[in-house]
Amino acid sequence: MSELVNRVRELRARDRLSQQELAQRIGASRQTIALIERGDYSPSVVLALKIAAAFKVQVEDIFSIQEEEREQ
């Protein structure tokens, strides 16, 4: 099974943005940003592109898939 991981919190800290400020820049709610950061919500492609544009990076620099190891 795979899990979507992200660097949104790290990049927000780098740019000294609050969740609310990032949300306003991309047209989302603060709650959505919090859910994304916790890994409880996978953003749409459009939202992921808006987040990447806000940080001036590629989507792949923020979001990646982490494969979970299976117990054998």
Side-chain angles (χ1 to χ4, degrees):
M1 185 172 231
S2 58
E3 176 184 355
L4 182 66
V5 293
N6 71 77
R7 297 177 52 222
V8 174
R9 181 173 292 146
E10 174 189 338
L11 293 169
R12 254 192 338 95
R14 178 198 74 182
D15 291 355
R16 296 188 172 128
L17 293 172
S18 68
Q19 289 179 340
Q20 184 63 41
E21 289 167 329
L22 176 59
Q24 288 173 336
R25 287 187 183 190
I26 66 170
S29 69
R30 186 206 57 78
Q31 291 85 350
T32 297
I33 302 303
L35 288 169
I36 292 169
E37 287 183 358
R38 283 197 317 255
D40 292 338
Y41 178 74
S42 296
S44 68
V45 172
V46 172
L47 192 55
L49 289 167
K50 287 180 178 183
I51 293 169
F55 291 130
K56 297 179 174 62
V57 298
Q58 298 293 312
V59 172
E60 295 86 353
D61 295 330
I62 304 172
F63 298 97
S64 60
I65 295 175
Q66 179 177 351
E67 296 294 329
E68 293 180 9
E69 293 184 27
R70 294 182 186 170
E71 290 187 28
Q72 295 186 6

